[in-house]
Amino acid sequence: MRILNPATGALITEIPEDGAFAVRKKYARARSASAAWAATPIGKRIDAIRRFREQVVARHETLARTLTEEIGKPIRQSRNELNGLLPRLDFFVAEAARALREEKVHADAKEKLEERITHEPLGVIANISAWNYPYFVGSNVLVPALLAGNTVLYKPSEFATLTGQHIGEMLHAAGVPADAFITVLGSGMSGAALLRQPVDAVFFTGSYATGARIGAAAGRKMIKVQLELGGKDPVYVCDDADLKAAAASLADGAFYNTGQSCCSVERIYVHERIHDAFVDAFVAEVKGFRTGDPMDESTYIGAITRQPQLDVLRRQVADARRKGAKLLTGGNVVKGKGNWFEPTVFAGVDHRMALMRDESFGPIIGIQKVASDDEAVALMNDTEYGLTAGVYTPDEKRARRILSRVRAGSAYWNCCDRVSPRLPWSGVGHSGIGLTLSTYGIQTFTRPKAWHLRGA
Ligand code: NDP
């Protein structure tokens, strides 16, 4: 497997891919380690994750540079991802024992009856992960899964292979047994080989297209499956919003990580009373973003990680222009080495355009004028996805009224593109099934067992 730098096209290294035989052997190791890891006291498992955190802190700059080199993320944003990982680890470490402890839910002394719930590990789980935030999407799954006593077969995306290797090395250095956490390296083929093993559960982060296939296969096997998939996340800017503040916040929400976030702002609706002034302020923000060498400290827009995505973006631009949208800035693939696309803003868009319907996953956004809150709600809901949605207004009641009518896993008032370890992260529709983060996102890696205990 050739690991390429998406910013330059240069070869970073070559790594042998795990074929079907290697994957089978790795599965057998994970299965044989399962009982011992499940029986390891929770305190020891928590200590291991604490030491993993220490590893992340100690290796911070090396990890950030590897991430930037292999996925083209601007170096400051790679550091931000690692900094953001720490509070997630702190949350899991602080909450795991409470979330996983045995619960007494009923006691009847006269009947000598007790009812209890224990949280049993699922067993051997397959974690197939995306490349865009490998530390976030990886740790949302593999950390609580390990804390809950599961052994984990972790397949990072081929585009985040070196980061996946770092994660494995750090967990092992932290004391997680080599067979309790195993990295499976390779492309989608290795992922498919992993899913042919008799794992007990599948936790997948990636696109709707792949997720739908994986969900169907898991359904036939009757194993637990969680799918964290894409989005086409909408935001509505009301007529009473602070338009300069909203423009700055939304430009960041749409273009951070070069627009390659599951919860990137992908559609903006603006009330007609402030539409033109908002568009001017938004375009000014975007024109201020610096595109360039991802290792440069001042770079904000980095490379497009997967080369085929350039075609998706190119097609969305052509389609929007053909159907009458107004291109305000950008619109082109940048010629030269590596994968680059200009930050692109359209106004005058509508829902006939792919730009407003299909996940873009790149530095491109459409802004649509609306006449009322009702029209905004109807357009926000006119999608198969449902990951996040936001409203900008000083009026909390108005924001809550609108957001309570929008079908999405997360609701944002005057903010966007934000994830908290304390809150569940989930999607509806094509954005997925299940959740990570919050205490629910620890318990999701367990099977609640019901105990009916009657004394003699
Ligand atoms: P993909 O669906 O292309 O890939 C996801 C993972 O699945 C990768 O590890 C990939 O391997 C693997 N894979 C591909 N084909 C198969 C197969 N047939 N069987 C098993 N595994 C397979 O998504 P991306 O990695 O490109 O990630 C981008 C998508 O992820 C976007 O849609 C984004 O919105 C979504 N996402 C969702 C998040 C959420 O929390 N809801 C968070 C982050 C991203 P390989 O890459 O090696 O081909």
Side-chain angles (χ1 to χ4, degrees):
M1 184 169 49
R2 289 158 57 78
I3 312 287
L4 303 176
N5 180 331
T8 60
L11 180 71
I12 303 172
T13 186
E14 285 182 274
I15 283 175
E17 186 166 5
D18 283 326
F21 181 65
V23 172
R24 224 171 22 246
K25 282 207 326 211
K26 288 188 171 184
Y27 165 76
R29 282 171 48 206
R31 177 61 72 193
S32 67
S34 176
W37 182 245
T40 301
I42 176 80
K44 286 205 165 158
R45 298 200 296 256
I46 291 172
D47 284 344
I49 298 303
R50 267 202 201 100
R51 288 190 295 268
F52 172 65
R53 186 195 193 282
E54 289 165 11
Q55 293 281 324
V56 173
V57 172
R59 301 190 196 187
H60 190 277
E61 190 57 20
T62 310
L63 303 177
R65 296 184 85 79
T66 302
L67 185 55
T68 289
E69 201 182 9
E70 74 175 332
I71 76 165
K73 190 191 288 270
I75 185 70
R76 291 171 82 98
Q77 297 177 18
S78 291
R79 291 195 196 109
N80 287 349
E81 182 173 344
L82 287 156
N83 293 336
L85 173 63
L86 303 179
R88 291 193 193 201
L89 298 178
D90 292 339
F91 173 81
F92 288 132
V93 161
E95 296 296 325
R98 197 168 60 85
L100 298 169
R101 77 174 166 219
E102 183 174 324
E103 298 167 58
K104 181 158 82 176
V105 291
H106 180 69
D108 184 332
K110 220 165 82 199
E111 295 282 327
K112 291 190 184 164
L113 180 73
E114 262 186 31
E115 293 171 359
R116 289 176 171 266
I117 301 171
T118 56
H119 298 280
E120 311 285 325
L122 297 166
V124 178
I125 73 155
N127 175 201
I128 298 186
S129 204
W131 48 264
N132 61 335
Y133 281 98
Y135 287 104
F136 285 164
V137 296
S139 67
N140 288 358
V141 172
L142 59 92
V143 169
L146 286 168
L147 286 169
N150 301 283
T151 55
V152 178
L153 287 155
Y154 170 61
K155 199 206 85 66
S157 164
E158 64 192 294
F159 302 99
T161 296
L162 304 178
T163 293
Q165 286 181 317
H166 280 313
I167 290 174
E169 284 159 19
M170 290 190 290
L171 284 167
H172 296 151
V176 175
D179 291 349
F181 180 85
I182 302 176
T183 309
V184 173
L185 298 179
S187 65
M189 266 164 44
S190 307
L194 174 55
L195 296 181
R196 284 195 295 275
Q197 307 309 309
V199 293
D200 298 302
V202 178
F203 291 79
F204 172 84
T205 310
S207 62
Y208 165 72
T210 315
R213 280 203 301 276
I214 287 174
R220 279 192 296 277
K221 289 187 184 174
M222 292 292 164
I223 56 173
K224 176 159 183 167
V225 61
Q226 270 200 192
L227 306 168
E228 305 224 358
L229 310 178
K232 191 70 195 166
D233 293 0
V235 166
Y236 170 41
V237 185
C238 298
D239 51 355
D240 54 0
D242 174 341
L243 68 90
K244 285 234 159 62
S249 168
L250 290 174
D252 188 47
F255 290 91
Y256 192 81
N257 208 34
T258 316
Q260 300 171 112
S261 309
C262 52
C263 54
S264 282
V265 173
E266 290 233 350
R267 297 179 283 151
I268 301 178
Y269 304 99
V270 185
H271 196 282
E272 60 189 7
R273 259 186 234 123
I274 61 161
H275 173 271
D276 294 356
F278 173 86
V279 168
D280 288 348
F282 187 88
V283 171
E285 287 289 336
V286 174
K287 286 187 171 163
F289 291 150
R290 198 175 170 284
T291 304
D293 177 2
M295 284 295 178
D296 190 310
E297 297 290 333
S298 61
T299 293
Y300 180 85
I301 300 284
I304 301 298
T305 308
R306 291 176 63 255
Q307 203 253 346
Q309 199 64 19
L310 293 175
D311 273 339
V312 172
L313 299 171
R314 215 182 339 229
R315 278 200 303 272
Q316 289 196 351
V317 167
D319 174 69
R321 295 186 83 163
R322 201 170 48 246
K323 290 174 181 161
K326 191 168 167 199
L327 179 63
L328 301 174
T329 186
N332 297 300
V333 172
V334 180
K335 294 204 174 73
K337 287 185 179 153
N339 316 323
W340 294 89
F341 202 88
E342 294 171 349
T344 299
V345 182
F346 277 101
V349 296
D350 62 46
H351 279 213
R352 290 171 304 139
M353 300 170 188
L355 171 64
M356 297 303 274
R357 304 203 71 87
D358 303 336
E359 189 174 39
S360 305
F361 222 59
I364 164 170
I365 186 84
I367 305 175
Q368 183 165 353
K369 196 187 282 186
V370 296
S372 67
D373 293 2
D374 284 346
E375 185 185 0
V377 169
L379 288 168
M380 288 165 98
N381 281 331
D382 181 25
T383 175
E384 280 163 330
Y385 291 105
L387 194 57
T388 81
V391 169
Y392 283 68
T393 168
D395 182 345
E396 181 177 357
K397 280 207 184 102
R398 183 176 182 184
R400 280 176 166 265
R401 212 167 40 236
I402 294 167
L403 288 168
S404 62
R405 294 167 61 200
V406 178
R407 212 168 136 260
S410 294
Y412 297 130
W413 176 40
N414 291 332
C415 57
C416 60
D417 191 23
R418 178 178 192 279
V419 180
S420 163
R422 297 169 292 276
L423 294 172
W425 185 248
S426 68
V428 293
H430 285 193
S431 293
I433 297 172
L435 59 85
T436 51
L437 299 175
S438 78
T439 46
Y440 298 109
I442 300 173
Q443 290 174 342
T444 197
F445 297 96
T446 65
R447 188 168 41 81
K449 186 164 183 172
W451 295 82
H452 307 246
L453 304 168
R454 193 184 290 280

